[in-house]
PDB file of all heavy atoms in Angstrom:
ATOM      1  N   ALA A 841      -5.571   3.890  11.450  1.00 95.00           N
ATOM      2  CA  ALA A 841      -6.149   4.213  10.142  1.00 95.00           C
ATOM      3  C   ALA A 841      -6.313   5.717   9.969  1.00 95.00           C
ATOM      4  O   ALA A 841      -6.041   6.264   8.891  1.00 95.00           O
ATOM      5  CB  ALA A 841      -7.502   3.516   9.989  1.00 95.00           C
ATOM      6  N   GLU A 842      -6.743   6.400  11.037  1.00 94.00           N
ATOM      7  CA  GLU A 842      -6.926   7.857  10.935  1.00 94.00           C
ATOM      8  C   GLU A 842      -5.579   8.573  10.867  1.00 94.00           C
ATOM      9  O   GLU A 842      -5.448   9.589  10.182  1.00 94.00           O
ATOM     10  CB  GLU A 842      -7.744   8.362  12.116  1.00 94.00           C
ATOM     11  CG  GLU A 842      -9.178   7.850  12.143  1.00 94.00           C
ATOM     12  CD  GLU A 842      -9.907   8.083  10.831  1.00 94.00           C
ATOM     13  OE1 GLU A 842     -10.029   9.258  10.424  1.00 94.00           O
ATOM     14  OE2 GLU A 842     -10.341   7.096  10.211  1.00 94.00           O
ATOM     15  N   MET A 843      -4.576   8.055  11.538  1.00 93.00           N
ATOM     16  CA  MET A 843      -3.242   8.659  11.460  1.00 93.00           C
ATOM     17  C   MET A 843      -2.627   8.447  10.073  1.00 93.00           C
ATOM     18  O   MET A 843      -1.873   9.287   9.579  1.00 93.00           O
ATOM     19  CB  MET A 843      -2.328   8.071  12.531  1.00 93.00           C
ATOM     20  CG  MET A 843      -2.608   8.579  13.943  1.00 93.00           C
ATOM     21  SD  MET A 843      -2.395  10.364  14.129  1.00 93.00           S
ATOM     22  CE  MET A 843      -0.637  10.528  13.822  1.00 93.00           C
ATOM     23  N   ALA A 844      -2.952   7.303   9.440  1.00 91.00           N
ATOM     24  CA  ALA A 844      -2.417   7.038   8.098  1.00 91.00           C
ATOM     25  C   ALA A 844      -3.007   7.982   7.066  1.00 91.00           C
ATOM     26  O   ALA A 844      -2.366   8.301   6.063  1.00 91.00           O
ATOM     27  CB  ALA A 844      -2.705   5.586   7.706  1.00 91.00           C
ATOM     28  N   GLY A 845      -4.238   8.439   7.315  1.00 88.00           N
ATOM     29  CA  GLY A 845      -4.841   9.424   6.438  1.00 88.00           C
ATOM     30  C   GLY A 845      -5.359   8.840   5.144  1.00 88.00           C
ATOM     31  O   GLY A 845      -5.556   7.626   4.996  1.00 88.00           O
ATOM     32  N   ASN A 846      -5.555   9.720   4.166  1.00 84.00           N
ATOM     33  CA  ASN A 846      -6.111   9.346   2.871  1.00 84.00           C
ATOM     34  C   ASN A 846      -5.023   9.447   1.812  1.00 84.00           C
ATOM     35  O   ASN A 846      -4.443  10.512   1.609  1.00 84.00           O
ATOM     36  CB  ASN A 846      -7.275  10.289   2.520  1.00 84.00           C
ATOM     37  CG  ASN A 846      -8.054   9.831   1.306  1.00 84.00           C
ATOM     38  OD1 ASN A 846      -7.492   9.304   0.351  1.00 84.00           O
ATOM     39  ND2 ASN A 846      -9.358  10.048   1.336  1.00 84.00           N
ATOM     40  N   PRO A 847      -4.730   8.357   1.086  1.00 85.00           N
ATOM     41  CA  PRO A 847      -3.650   8.402   0.098  1.00 85.00           C
ATOM     42  C   PRO A 847      -3.922   9.375  -1.052  1.00 85.00           C
ATOM     43  O   PRO A 847      -2.987   9.857  -1.688  1.00 85.00           O
ATOM     44  CB  PRO A 847      -3.579   6.960  -0.410  1.00 85.00           C
ATOM     45  CG  PRO A 847      -4.916   6.383  -0.114  1.00 85.00           C
ATOM     46  CD  PRO A 847      -5.366   7.035   1.154  1.00 85.00           C
ATOM     47  N   VAL A 848      -5.185   9.673  -1.331  1.00 82.00           N
ATOM     48  CA  VAL A 848      -5.508  10.610  -2.406  1.00 82.00           C
ATOM     49  C   VAL A 848      -5.031  12.009  -2.042  1.00 82.00           C
ATOM     50  O   VAL A 848      -4.394  12.702  -2.849  1.00 82.00           O
ATOM     51  CB  VAL A 848      -7.019  10.608  -2.689  1.00 82.00           C
ATOM     52  CG1 VAL A 848      -7.370  11.663  -3.737  1.00 82.00           C
ATOM     53  CG2 VAL A 848      -7.476   9.226  -3.146  1.00 82.00           C
ATOM     54  N   THR A 849      -5.313  12.443  -0.809  1.00 79.00           N
ATOM     55  CA  THR A 849      -4.848  13.765  -0.373  1.00 79.00           C
ATOM     56  C   THR A 849      -3.339  13.772  -0.186  1.00 79.00           C
ATOM     57  O   THR A 849      -2.680  14.787  -0.407  1.00 79.00           O
ATOM     58  CB  THR A 849      -5.542  14.182   0.928  1.00 79.00           C
ATOM     59  OG1 THR A 849      -5.327  13.174   1.928  1.00 79.00           O
ATOM     60  CG2 THR A 849      -7.031  14.364   0.726  1.00 79.00           C
ATOM     61  N   HIS A 850      -2.765  12.635   0.196  1.00 75.00           N
ATOM     62  CA  HIS A 850      -1.304  12.556   0.326  1.00 75.00           C
ATOM     63  C   HIS A 850      -0.638  12.788  -1.032  1.00 75.00           C
ATOM     64  O   HIS A 850       0.395  13.468  -1.127  1.00 75.00           O
ATOM     65  CB  HIS A 850      -0.898  11.186   0.866  1.00 75.00           C
ATOM     66  CG  HIS A 850      -1.220  11.008   2.317  1.00 75.00           C
ATOM     67  ND1 HIS A 850      -0.904   9.872   3.020  1.00 75.00           N
ATOM     68  CD2 HIS A 850      -1.822  11.829   3.208  1.00 75.00           C
ATOM     69  CE1 HIS A 850      -1.308   9.982   4.270  1.00 75.00           C
ATOM     70  NE2 HIS A 850      -1.873  11.167   4.398  1.00 75.00           N
ATOM     71  N   SER A 851      -1.221  12.230  -2.079  1.00 78.00           N
ATOM     72  CA  SER A 851      -0.631  12.384  -3.406  1.00 78.00           C
ATOM     73  C   SER A 851      -0.672  13.832  -3.884  1.00 78.00           C
ATOM     74  O   SER A 851       0.093  14.232  -4.754  1.00 78.00           O
ATOM     75  CB  SER A 851      -1.350  11.487  -4.405  1.00 78.00           C
ATOM     76  OG  SER A 851      -2.704  11.910  -4.572  1.00 78.00           O
ATOM     77  N   LEU A 852      -1.582  14.614  -3.291  1.00 78.00           N
ATOM     78  CA  LEU A 852      -1.680  16.038  -3.638  1.00 78.00           C
ATOM     79  C   LEU A 852      -0.843  16.911  -2.715  1.00 78.00           C
ATOM     80  O   LEU A 852      -0.864  18.141  -2.828  1.00 78.00           O
ATOM     81  CB  LEU A 852      -3.150  16.486  -3.570  1.00 78.00           C
ATOM     82  CG  LEU A 852      -4.119  15.768  -4.516  1.00 78.00           C
ATOM     83  CD1 LEU A 852      -5.551  16.217  -4.257  1.00 78.00           C
ATOM     84  CD2 LEU A 852      -3.739  16.025  -5.976  1.00 78.00           C
ATOM     85  N   GLY A 853      -0.153  16.266  -1.767  1.00 73.00           N
ATOM     86  CA  GLY A 853       0.665  17.016  -0.826  1.00 73.00           C
ATOM     87  C   GLY A 853      -0.125  17.644   0.302  1.00 73.00           C
ATOM     88  O   GLY A 853       0.337  18.596   0.937  1.00 73.00           O
ATOM     89  N   LEU A 854      -1.322  17.114   0.593  1.00 70.00           N
ATOM     90  CA  LEU A 854      -2.203  17.674   1.625  1.00 70.00           C
ATOM     91  C   LEU A 854      -2.392  16.671   2.765  1.00 70.00           C
ATOM     92  O   LEU A 854      -2.235  15.470   2.599  1.00 70.00           O
ATOM     93  CB  LEU A 854      -3.569  18.021   1.029  1.00 70.00           C
ATOM     94  CG  LEU A 854      -3.565  18.997  -0.156  1.00 70.00           C
ATOM     95  CD1 LEU A 854      -4.960  19.102  -0.740  1.00 70.00           C
ATOM     96  CD2 LEU A 854      -3.045  20.353   0.267  1.00 70.00           C
ATOM     97  N   ALA A 855      -2.768  17.192   3.922  1.00 57.00           N
ATOM     98  CA  ALA A 855      -3.173  16.369   5.074  1.00 57.00           C
ATOM     99  C   ALA A 855      -2.152  15.302   5.415  1.00 57.00           C
ATOM    100  O   ALA A 855      -2.485  14.149   5.656  1.00 57.00           O
ATOM    101  CB  ALA A 855      -4.536  15.729   4.807  1.00 57.00           C
ATOM    102  N   GLN A 856      -0.895  15.675   5.465  1.00 65.00           N
ATOM    103  CA  GLN A 856       0.155  14.712   5.789  1.00 65.00           C
ATOM    104  C   GLN A 856       0.108  14.263   7.249  1.00 65.00           C
ATOM    105  O   GLN A 856       0.686  13.250   7.603  1.00 65.00           O
ATOM    106  CB  GLN A 856       1.517  15.323   5.474  1.00 65.00           C
ATOM    107  CG  GLN A 856       1.745  15.612   3.986  1.00 65.00           C
ATOM    108  CD  GLN A 856       1.732  14.366   3.138  1.00 65.00           C
ATOM    109  OE1 GLN A 856       2.116  13.305   3.587  1.00 65.00           O
ATOM    110  NE2 GLN A 856       1.261  14.486   1.899  1.00 65.00           N
ATOM    111  N   ALA A 857      -0.563  15.053   8.106  1.00 75.00           N
ATOM    112  CA  ALA A 857      -0.614  14.717   9.541  1.00 75.00           C
ATOM    113  C   ALA A 857      -1.712  13.711   9.856  1.00 75.00           C
ATOM    114  O   ALA A 857      -1.956  13.413  11.019  1.00 75.00           O
ATOM    115  CB  ALA A 857      -0.818  15.986  10.358  1.00 75.00           C
ATOM    116  N   GLY A 858      -2.383  13.177   8.852  1.00 87.00           N
ATOM    117  CA  GLY A 858      -3.454  12.224   9.098  1.00 87.00           C
ATOM    118  C   GLY A 858      -4.772  12.745   8.564  1.00 87.00           C
ATOM    119  O   GLY A 858      -4.849  13.810   7.946  1.00 87.00           O
ATOM    120  N   ASN A 859      -5.821  11.987   8.795  1.00 90.00           N
ATOM    121  CA  ASN A 859      -7.143  12.342   8.286  1.00 90.00           C
ATOM    122  C   ASN A 859      -7.872  13.238   9.282  1.00 90.00           C
ATOM    123  O   ASN A 859      -8.425  12.757  10.267  1.00 90.00           O
ATOM    124  CB  ASN A 859      -7.967  11.073   8.036  1.00 90.00           C
ATOM    125  CG  ASN A 859      -9.369  11.392   7.565  1.00 90.00           C
ATOM    126  OD1 ASN A 859      -9.580  12.350   6.822  1.00 90.00           O
ATOM    127  ND2 ASN A 859     -10.330  10.606   8.007  1.00 90.00           N
ATOM    128  N   MET A 860      -7.879  14.545   9.025  1.00 90.00           N
ATOM    129  CA  MET A 860      -8.580  15.488   9.896  1.00 90.00           C
ATOM    130  C   MET A 860      -9.936  15.892   9.325  1.00 90.00           C
ATOM    131  O   MET A 860     -10.627  16.738   9.895  1.00 90.00           O
ATOM    132  CB  MET A 860      -7.720  16.742  10.106  1.00 90.00           C
ATOM    133  CG  MET A 860      -6.660  16.592  11.167  1.00 90.00           C
ATOM    134  SD  MET A 860      -7.354  16.289  12.822  1.00 90.00           S
ATOM    135  CE  MET A 860      -8.185  17.831  13.145  1.00 90.00           C
ATOM    136  N   GLU A 861     -10.333  15.281   8.223  1.00 89.00           N
ATOM    137  CA  GLU A 861     -11.651  15.610   7.664  1.00 89.00           C
ATOM    138  C   GLU A 861     -12.753  15.196   8.639  1.00 89.00           C
ATOM    139  O   GLU A 861     -12.764  14.085   9.168  1.00 89.00           O
ATOM    140  CB  GLU A 861     -11.850  14.874   6.339  1.00 89.00           C
ATOM    141  CG  GLU A 861     -13.199  15.170   5.691  1.00 89.00           C
ATOM    142  CD  GLU A 861     -13.472  14.318   4.470  1.00 89.00           C
ATOM    143  OE1 GLU A 861     -12.576  13.519   4.099  1.00 89.00           O
ATOM    144  OE2 GLU A 861     -14.572  14.425   3.905  1.00 89.00           O
ATOM    145  N   GLY A 862     -13.683  16.102   8.915  1.00 91.00           N
ATOM    146  CA  GLY A 862     -14.807  15.815   9.802  1.00 91.00           C
ATOM    147  C   GLY A 862     -14.471  15.845  11.272  1.00 91.00           C
ATOM    148  O   GLY A 862     -15.312  15.487  12.107  1.00 91.00           O
ATOM    149  N   LYS A 863     -13.266  16.282  11.633  1.00 93.00           N
ATOM    150  CA  LYS A 863     -12.844  16.294  13.037  1.00 93.00           C
ATOM    151  C   LYS A 863     -12.657  17.724  13.529  1.00 93.00           C
ATOM    152  O   LYS A 863     -12.349  18.629  12.751  1.00 93.00           O
ATOM    153  CB  LYS A 863     -11.543  15.508  13.218  1.00 93.00           C
ATOM    154  CG  LYS A 863     -11.665  14.034  12.869  1.00 93.00           C
ATOM    155  CD  LYS A 863     -10.345  13.315  13.034  1.00 93.00           C
ATOM    156  CE  LYS A 863     -10.489  11.833  12.745  1.00 93.00           C
ATOM    157  NZ  LYS A 863     -10.898  11.561  11.361  1.00 93.00           N
ATOM    158  N   GLU A 864     -12.834  17.913  14.819  1.00 93.00           N
ATOM    159  CA  GLU A 864     -12.615  19.214  15.442  1.00 93.00           C
ATOM    160  C   GLU A 864     -11.141  19.365  15.778  1.00 93.00           C
ATOM    161  O   GLU A 864     -10.525  18.446  16.353  1.00 93.00           O
ATOM    162  CB  GLU A 864     -13.457  19.344  16.714  1.00 93.00           C
ATOM    163  CG  GLU A 864     -14.957  19.383  16.454  1.00 93.00           C
ATOM    164  CD  GLU A 864     -15.365  20.629  15.696  1.00 93.00           C
ATOM    165  OE1 GLU A 864     -15.048  21.741  16.152  1.00 93.00           O
ATOM    166  OE2 GLU A 864     -15.998  20.490  14.639  1.00 93.00           O
ATOM    167  N   THR A 865     -10.568  20.523  15.462  1.00 92.00           N
ATOM    168  CA  THR A 865      -9.141  20.729  15.726  1.00 92.00           C
ATOM    169  C   THR A 865      -8.844  20.749  17.212  1.00 92.00           C
ATOM    170  O   THR A 865      -7.717  20.455  17.616  1.00 92.00           O
ATOM    171  CB  THR A 865      -8.668  22.047  15.092  1.00 92.00           C
ATOM    172  OG1 THR A 865      -9.500  23.127  15.546  1.00 92.00           O
ATOM    173  CG2 THR A 865      -8.755  21.969  13.574  1.00 92.00           C
ATOM    174  N   ARG A 866      -9.825  21.089  18.045  1.00 92.00           N
ATOM    175  CA  ARG A 866      -9.573  21.113  19.492  1.00 92.00           C
ATOM    176  C   ARG A 866      -9.438  19.708  20.077  1.00 92.00           C
ATOM    177  O   ARG A 866      -8.992  19.541  21.204  1.00 92.00           O
ATOM    178  CB  ARG A 866     -10.672  21.895  20.221  1.00 92.00           C
ATOM    179  CG  ARG A 866     -12.058  21.269  20.193  1.00 92.00           C
ATOM    180  CD  ARG A 866     -13.084  22.207  20.846  1.00 92.00           C
ATOM    181  NE  ARG A 866     -14.407  21.628  20.940  1.00 92.00           N
ATOM    182  CZ  ARG A 866     -15.300  21.596  19.974  1.00 92.00           C
ATOM    183  NH1 ARG A 866     -14.982  22.096  18.793  1.00 92.00           N
ATOM    184  NH2 ARG A 866     -16.490  21.052  20.150  1.00 92.00           N
ATOM    185  N   PHE A 867      -9.852  18.684  19.325  1.00 93.00           N
ATOM    186  CA  PHE A 867      -9.716  17.309  19.783  1.00 93.00           C
ATOM    187  C   PHE A 867      -8.617  16.564  19.032  1.00 93.00           C
ATOM    188  O   PHE A 867      -7.874  15.784  19.630  1.00 93.00           O
ATOM    189  CB  PHE A 867     -11.045  16.554  19.611  1.00 93.00           C
ATOM    190  CG  PHE A 867     -12.196  17.155  20.361  1.00 93.00           C
ATOM    191  CD1 PHE A 867     -13.442  17.235  19.783  1.00 93.00           C
ATOM    192  CD2 PHE A 867     -12.021  17.656  21.636  1.00 93.00           C
ATOM    193  CE1 PHE A 867     -14.510  17.794  20.468  1.00 93.00           C
ATOM    194  CE2 PHE A 867     -13.074  18.217  22.337  1.00 93.00           C
ATOM    195  CZ  PHE A 867     -14.326  18.297  21.751  1.00 93.00           C
TER     196      PHE A 867
END
């Protein structure tokens, strides 16, 4: 589910690598 991401941001051309909202980039 987290890899699939959010379809709303996908439609805007953002966050194609999955749902990184609220996550640390080091993890």
Side-chain angles (χ1 to χ4, degrees):
E842 295 308 300
M843 285 299 295
N846 190 323
V848 176
T849 56
H850 287 182
S851 65
L852 299 175
L854 303 173
Q856 295 297 329
N859 177 36
M860 278 297 294
E861 180 187 358
K863 297 179 177 62
E864 293 294 305
T865 54
R866 67 185 184 278
F867 301 139

